[in-house]
Amino acid sequence: DTEVTQTPKHLVMGMTNKKSLKCEQHMGHRAMYWYKQKAKKPPELMFVYSYEKLSINESVPSRFSPECPNSSLLNLHLHALQPEDSALYLCASSQDLGTSGRSDTQYFGPGTRLTVL
Amino acid sequence: QKEVEQDPGPLSVPEGAIVSLNCTYSNSAFQYFMWYRQYSRKGPELLMYTYSSGNKEDGRFTAQVDKSSKYISLFIRDSQPSDSATYLCAMSENKAAGNKLTFGGGTRVLVKP
């Protein structure tokens, strides 16, 4: 099973709202990722977690706050977003970070389509 | 110049034709190569994963890597309307760099019945 699930599928929020996106995988993967994808563009990496610790933050604004409560779950907390933050937010997971000299394949979830009004 | 270049298309072919997709890259540190398929408003789905020069076949899909030319290809045989999607190439380096993927811009493919 290579399934990554994300909730909600769609989210509409105002600029003053606080909301959270959730991601879950049960493949025993120890690395999890958040990506942002704008229309007709490739995914852009936001955050990487490895063994529940933040490994990479790609200079993402603080209005996006990731959290990894356990090895199966990844959250993205949203606060005071801007309309330009509207996008498809993708979660991915991989066995590890490829630290054993190989790359580890990333499996993506279906995404949450976020609209900021 | 982008690290990974991919023709955006759209690429329109009749059903049953061979679809040929390409990416070129400039970073010689890339060692691992992937092709993802993404349907509209869905997440990317892994199609092929390769790490050595040469060909790898899986059903109707063949991935080709030429590291000396910094060029990768994906061929889809006997294309079907259900193959209509955006195809993304992706690459990563052989080191503990967070397993970061560098994507091409994606090629939109339309297979007409």
Coordinates of all heavy atoms in Angstrom, one line a residue, chain A residues 37 41-43, chain B residues 4-9 11 13 19-23 34-40 44-48 60-61 73-77 79-90 103-111:
Chain A
Q37 N 1.8 23.8 -4.7 CA 1.8 23.7 -6.2 C 0.8 24.7 -6.7 O -0.4 24.6 -6.4 CB 1.5 22.3 -6.7 CG 1.6 22.2 -8.2 CD 1.3 20.8 -8.7 OE1 0.7 20.0 -8.1 NE2 1.9 20.5 -9.8
K41 N 2.3 24.7 -12.6 CA 3.6 24.8 -12.2 C 4.0 23.5 -11.5 O 3.1 22.8 -11.0 CB 3.8 25.9 -11.2 CG 3.6 27.3 -11.7 CD 4.7 27.7 -12.7 CE 4.5 29.1 -13.2 NZ 5.5 29.5 -14.2
P42 N 5.2 23.1 -11.3 CA 5.6 21.9 -10.6 C 5.5 22.2 -9.1 O 5.5 23.3 -8.6 CB 7.1 21.7 -11.0 CG 7.6 23.0 -11.4 CD 6.4 23.8 -12.0
P43 N 5.5 21.1 -8.3 CA 5.5 21.3 -6.8 C 6.7 22.0 -6.3 O 7.8 21.7 -6.9 CB 5.4 19.8 -6.3 CG 4.9 19.0 -7.5 CD 5.4 19.7 -8.7
Chain B
V4 N 16.4 21.9 -14.4 CA 15.8 20.9 -15.2 C 14.8 21.5 -16.2 O 14.0 22.3 -15.8 CB 15.0 19.9 -14.3 CG1 14.3 18.8 -15.2 CG2 15.9 19.3 -13.3
E5 N 15.0 21.2 -17.5 CA 14.2 21.8 -18.5 C 13.2 20.7 -19.1 O 13.7 19.6 -19.4 CB 15.0 22.4 -19.6 CG 15.9 23.5 -19.2 CD 15.3 24.9 -19.2 OE1 14.0 25.0 -19.5 OE2 15.9 25.9 -18.9
Q6 N 12.0 21.1 -19.2 CA 11.0 20.2 -19.8 C 10.0 21.0 -20.7 O 9.5 22.0 -20.3 CB 10.2 19.5 -18.6 CG 9.3 18.4 -19.1 CD 8.6 17.7 -17.9 OE1 8.8 18.0 -16.7 NE2 7.8 16.7 -18.2
D7 N 9.8 20.5 -21.9 CA 8.9 21.2 -22.8 C 7.5 21.2 -22.2 O 7.0 20.1 -21.9 CB 8.9 20.4 -24.1 CG 8.1 21.2 -25.2 OD1 7.2 21.9 -24.9 OD2 8.5 21.1 -26.4
P8 N 6.9 22.3 -22.1 CA 5.5 22.4 -21.4 C 4.4 21.8 -22.2 O 3.3 21.5 -21.7 CB 5.3 23.9 -21.2 CG 6.2 24.5 -22.2 CD 7.4 23.6 -22.4
G9 N 4.6 21.6 -23.5 CA 3.5 21.2 -24.4 C 2.5 22.3 -24.6 O 2.8 23.4 -24.5
L11 N 1.2 18.4 -25.7 CA 1.5 17.4 -26.7 C 0.2 16.7 -27.0 O -0.3 16.0 -26.1 CB 2.6 16.5 -26.1 CG 3.1 15.4 -27.0 CD1 3.8 16.0 -28.2 CD2 4.1 14.5 -26.2
V13 N -1.7 13.8 -29.2 CA -1.4 12.6 -30.1 C -2.7 11.8 -30.2 O -3.6 11.9 -29.4 CB -0.4 11.7 -29.5 CG1 1.0 12.4 -29.3 CG2 -0.8 11.1 -28.1
V19 N 3.9 8.2 -27.2 CA 4.2 9.5 -26.6 C 5.6 9.5 -26.1 O 6.1 8.6 -25.5 CB 3.2 9.8 -25.4 CG1 3.6 11.1 -24.7 CG2 1.8 9.7 -25.8
S20 N 6.3 10.6 -26.5 CA 7.7 10.7 -26.2 C 7.9 12.0 -25.4 O 7.6 13.1 -25.9 CB 8.5 10.8 -27.5 OG 9.9 11.1 -27.2
L21 N 8.4 11.9 -24.2 CA 8.6 13.0 -23.3 C 10.1 13.1 -22.9 O 10.7 12.1 -22.7 CB 7.7 12.8 -22.0 CG 6.3 12.7 -22.3 CD1 5.6 12.2 -21.0 CD2 5.6 14.0 -22.7
N22 N 10.6 14.3 -22.8 CA 12.0 14.5 -22.5 C 12.3 15.6 -21.4 O 11.5 16.5 -21.3 CB 12.7 15.0 -23.8 CG 12.4 14.1 -24.9 OD1 12.6 12.9 -24.9 ND2 11.7 14.7 -26.0
C23 N 13.4 15.4 -20.7 CA 13.9 16.4 -19.8 C 15.4 16.5 -20.0 O 16.1 15.4 -20.2 CB 13.6 16.1 -18.4 SG 11.9 16.3 -17.9
M34 N 13.1 10.3 -11.8 CA 11.7 9.8 -11.6 C 10.8 10.5 -12.7 O 11.1 11.6 -13.1 CB 11.2 10.2 -10.2 CG 11.8 9.3 -9.1 SD 12.3 10.3 -7.7 CE 14.0 10.9 -8.2
W35 N 9.7 9.8 -13.0 CA 8.6 10.3 -13.8 C 7.4 10.2 -13.0 O 7.1 9.1 -12.5 CB 8.5 9.6 -15.1 CG 9.6 10.0 -16.1 CD1 10.7 9.3 -16.4 CD2 9.6 11.1 -17.0 NE1 11.4 10.0 -17.3 CE2 10.7 11.1 -17.7 CE3 8.7 12.2 -17.2 CZ2 11.1 12.1 -18.7 CZ3 9.0 13.2 -18.1 CH2 10.2 13.1 -18.9
Y36 N 6.7 11.3 -12.8 CA 5.4 11.3 -12.2 C 4.3 11.7 -13.2 O 4.5 12.5 -14.1 CB 5.4 12.3 -11.0 CG 6.1 11.9 -9.8 CD1 7.5 12.2 -9.7 CD2 5.5 11.3 -8.7 CE1 8.2 11.9 -8.5 CE2 6.2 11.0 -7.6 CZ 7.6 11.3 -7.5 OH 8.3 10.9 -6.4
R37 N 3.1 11.2 -13.0 CA 1.9 11.6 -13.7 C 1.0 12.3 -12.8 O 0.7 11.8 -11.7 CB 1.2 10.3 -14.3 CG 0.0 10.6 -15.1 CD -0.6 9.3 -15.7 NE -0.9 8.3 -14.7 CZ -1.2 7.0 -14.9 NH1 -1.1 6.6 -16.2 NH2 -1.5 6.2 -14.0
Q38 N 0.5 13.4 -13.3 CA -0.5 14.1 -12.5 C -1.7 14.5 -13.2 O -1.6 15.2 -14.2 CB 0.2 15.4 -11.9 CG -0.7 16.2 -10.9 CD 0.0 17.3 -10.2 OE1 1.0 17.9 -10.8 NE2 -0.4 17.7 -9.1
Y39 N -2.8 14.0 -12.8 CA -4.1 14.3 -13.4 C -4.5 15.7 -12.8 O -4.1 16.0 -11.7 CB -5.2 13.3 -13.1 CG -4.9 12.0 -13.8 CD1 -4.6 10.8 -13.1 CD2 -5.0 11.9 -15.2 CE1 -4.4 9.6 -13.8 CE2 -4.8 10.7 -15.9 CZ -4.5 9.6 -15.2 OH -4.2 8.4 -15.8
S40 N -5.4 16.3 -13.5 CA -5.9 17.7 -13.1 C -6.4 17.6 -11.7 O -7.3 16.8 -11.3 CB -6.9 18.2 -14.1 OG -7.3 19.5 -13.7
P44 N 0.7 14.1 -7.7 CA 1.5 13.4 -8.6 C 1.6 11.9 -8.2 O 1.6 11.5 -7.0 CB 2.9 14.0 -8.4 CG 2.6 15.4 -7.8 CD 1.4 15.2 -7.0
E45 N 1.6 11.0 -9.2 CA 1.6 9.6 -9.0 C 2.9 9.1 -9.6 O 3.2 9.4 -10.8 CB 0.4 9.0 -9.7 CG 0.4 7.5 -9.8 CD -0.6 6.9 -10.8 OE1 -1.3 7.8 -11.5 OE2 -0.8 5.7 -10.8
L46 N 3.7 8.4 -8.9 CA 5.0 7.9 -9.4 C 4.8 6.8 -10.5 O 4.0 5.8 -10.3 CB 5.8 7.3 -8.2 CG 7.2 6.7 -8.6 CD1 8.1 7.9 -9.0 CD2 7.8 5.9 -7.5
L47 N 5.4 7.0 -11.6 CA 5.4 6.1 -12.7 C 6.6 5.2 -12.8 O 6.6 4.0 -13.0 CB 5.1 6.8 -14.0 CG 3.8 7.4 -14.3 CD1 3.8 8.2 -15.7 CD2 2.7 6.3 -14.4
M48 N 7.8 5.9 -12.8 CA 9.0 5.2 -13.0 C 10.1 5.8 -12.2 O 10.1 7.0 -11.9 CB 9.5 5.4 -14.5 CG 8.5 4.8 -15.5 SD 8.5 3.0 -15.5 CE 9.9 2.6 -16.4
R60 N 3.5 -0.5 -20.5 CA 3.6 0.4 -21.6 C 4.6 1.5 -21.5 O 4.7 2.3 -22.4 CB 2.2 1.0 -21.9 CG 1.1 0.0 -22.3 CD -0.2 0.6 -22.6 NE -0.8 1.4 -21.5 CZ -1.0 2.7 -21.5 NH1 -0.6 3.4 -22.5 NH2 -1.6 3.3 -20.5
F61 N 5.2 1.6 -20.4 CA 6.1 2.7 -20.1 C 7.6 2.3 -20.2 O 7.9 1.2 -19.7 CB 5.9 3.3 -18.7 CG 4.5 3.9 -18.5 CD1 3.5 3.1 -18.0 CD2 4.2 5.2 -18.9 CE1 2.2 3.6 -17.8 CE2 2.9 5.7 -18.8 CZ 1.9 4.9 -18.2
S73 N 14.2 10.4 -20.8 CA 13.0 10.3 -21.6 C 12.0 9.4 -21.0 O 12.4 8.5 -20.3 CB 13.4 9.9 -23.0 OG 14.3 10.7 -23.7
L74 N 10.8 9.6 -21.4 CA 9.7 8.6 -21.0 C 8.9 8.4 -22.3 O 8.5 9.3 -23.0 CB 8.8 9.2 -19.9 CG 7.6 8.2 -19.5 CD1 8.2 7.0 -18.8 CD2 6.6 9.0 -18.7
F75 N 8.8 7.1 -22.6 CA 8.0 6.7 -23.8 C 6.7 5.9 -23.3 O 6.8 5.1 -22.4 CB 8.8 5.8 -24.7 CG 10.0 6.4 -25.2 CD1 11.2 6.2 -24.6 CD2 10.0 7.3 -26.3 CE1 12.4 6.8 -25.1 CE2 11.1 7.9 -26.8 CZ 12.3 7.7 -26.2
I76 N 5.6 6.3 -23.8 CA 4.3 5.6 -23.5 C 3.9 5.0 -24.8 O 3.5 5.7 -25.8 CB 3.3 6.6 -23.0 CG1 3.8 7.4 -21.8 CG2 2.0 5.8 -22.6 CD1 2.9 8.5 -21.3
R77 N 3.8 3.7 -24.8 CA 3.4 2.9 -26.0 C 1.8 2.8 -26.0 O 1.2 2.8 -24.9 CB 4.0 1.6 -26.1 CG 5.5 1.6 -26.4 CD 6.0 0.2 -26.6 NE 5.9 -0.6 -25.3 CZ 6.7 -0.5 -24.3 NH1 7.7 0.4 -24.3 NH2 6.5 -1.2 -23.2
S79 N -0.8 4.6 -26.6 CA -1.4 5.6 -25.6 C -2.9 5.5 -25.6 O -3.5 5.2 -26.7 CB -0.9 7.0 -26.0 OG -1.2 7.3 -27.4
Q80 N -3.5 5.8 -24.5 CA -4.9 5.7 -24.3 C -5.4 7.1 -23.8 O -4.6 7.9 -23.2 CB -5.2 4.7 -23.2 CG -4.7 3.3 -23.5 CD -5.4 2.7 -24.7 OE1 -6.6 2.7 -24.8 NE2 -4.5 2.1 -25.6
P81 N -6.6 7.4 -24.1 CA -7.2 8.7 -23.5 C -6.9 8.9 -22.0 O -6.8 10.0 -21.6 CB -8.7 8.6 -23.9 CG -8.7 7.8 -25.1 CD -7.6 6.7 -24.9
S82 N -6.9 7.8 -21.3 CA -6.7 7.9 -19.9 C -5.2 8.3 -19.5 O -4.9 8.6 -18.4 CB -7.0 6.5 -19.2 OG -6.2 5.5 -19.7
D83 N -4.4 8.3 -20.5 CA -3.0 8.8 -20.3 C -2.9 10.3 -20.4 O -1.9 10.9 -20.1 CB -2.0 8.2 -21.4 CG -1.9 6.7 -21.2 OD1 -1.9 6.2 -20.1 OD2 -1.7 6.0 -22.3
S84 N -4.0 10.9 -20.7 CA -4.0 12.4 -20.8 C -3.8 13.0 -19.4 O -4.6 12.7 -18.5 CB -5.4 12.9 -21.3 OG -5.6 12.4 -22.7
A85 N -2.7 13.7 -19.2 CA -2.4 14.2 -17.9 C -1.1 15.1 -18.1 O -0.6 15.2 -19.2 CB -2.0 13.0 -17.0
T86 N -0.6 15.6 -17.0 CA 0.7 16.3 -17.0 C 1.7 15.4 -16.5 O 1.5 14.7 -15.4 CB 0.6 17.6 -16.1 OG1 -0.3 18.5 -16.7 CG2 2.0 18.2 -16.1
Y87 N 2.8 15.3 -17.2 CA 3.9 14.4 -16.8 C 5.1 15.2 -16.3 O 5.6 16.1 -17.0 CB 4.3 13.5 -18.0 CG 3.3 12.5 -18.3 CD1 2.1 12.9 -19.0 CD2 3.3 11.2 -17.8 CE1 1.1 12.0 -19.3 CE2 2.3 10.3 -18.1 CZ 1.2 10.7 -18.8 OH 0.2 9.8 -19.1
L88 N 5.5 14.9 -15.1 CA 6.6 15.7 -14.4 C 7.8 14.8 -14.3 O 7.8 13.7 -13.8 CB 6.2 16.1 -13.0 CG 5.0 17.1 -12.9 CD1 4.4 16.9 -11.6 CD2 5.6 18.5 -13.1
C89 N 9.0 15.3 -14.8 CA 10.2 14.6 -14.5 C 10.7 15.2 -13.2 O 10.5 16.3 -12.8 CB 11.2 14.7 -15.6 SG 11.9 16.3 -15.9
A90 N 11.5 14.3 -12.4 CA 12.0 14.8 -11.1 C 13.4 14.1 -10.9 O 13.6 13.0 -11.4 CB 11.1 14.5 -10.0
F103 N 12.1 19.3 -9.8 CA 11.1 19.0 -10.9 C 11.4 19.7 -12.1 O 11.8 20.9 -12.1 CB 9.7 19.3 -10.4 CG 9.2 18.3 -9.4 CD1 9.3 18.6 -8.0 CD2 8.5 17.2 -9.8 CE1 8.8 17.7 -7.1 CE2 7.9 16.3 -8.8 CZ 8.1 16.6 -7.5
G104 N 11.0 19.1 -13.3 CA 10.9 19.9 -14.5 C 9.5 20.6 -14.4 O 8.7 20.3 -13.5
G105 N 9.3 21.4 -15.4 CA 8.0 22.2 -15.4 C 6.8 21.4 -15.7 O 5.7 21.9 -15.5
G106 N 6.9 20.2 -16.2 CA 5.8 19.4 -16.6 C 5.4 19.5 -18.0 O 5.5 20.6 -18.6
T107 N 5.0 18.4 -18.6 CA 4.5 18.4 -20.0 C 3.0 17.9 -20.0 O 2.7 16.9 -19.5 CB 5.3 17.5 -20.9 OG1 6.6 17.9 -21.0 CG2 4.7 17.5 -22.3
R108 N 2.2 18.8 -20.5 CA 0.7 18.4 -20.6 C 0.5 17.5 -21.9 O 0.9 17.9 -23.0 CB -0.1 19.6 -20.7 CG -1.6 19.3 -20.4 CD -2.3 20.6 -19.9 NE -2.3 21.6 -20.9 CZ -3.2 21.9 -21.7 NH1 -4.3 21.1 -21.8 NH2 -3.2 22.9 -22.6
V109 N -0.1 16.3 -21.7 CA -0.3 15.4 -22.8 C -1.8 15.2 -23.0 O -2.5 15.0 -22.0 CB 0.4 14.0 -22.5 CG1 0.0 13.0 -23.5 CG2 1.9 14.2 -22.4
L110 N -2.2 15.2 -24.2 CA -3.6 15.0 -24.5 C -3.7 13.9 -25.6 O -3.1 14.0 -26.7 CB -4.2 16.2 -25.1 CG -5.7 16.1 -25.5 CD1 -6.6 15.8 -24.3 CD2 -6.2 17.5 -26.1
V111 N -4.3 12.8 -25.2 CA -4.4 11.6 -26.1 C -5.9 11.6 -26.6 O -6.8 11.5 -25.9 CB -4.1 10.3 -25.4 CG1 -4.3 9.1 -26.4 CG2 -2.7 10.3 -24.9

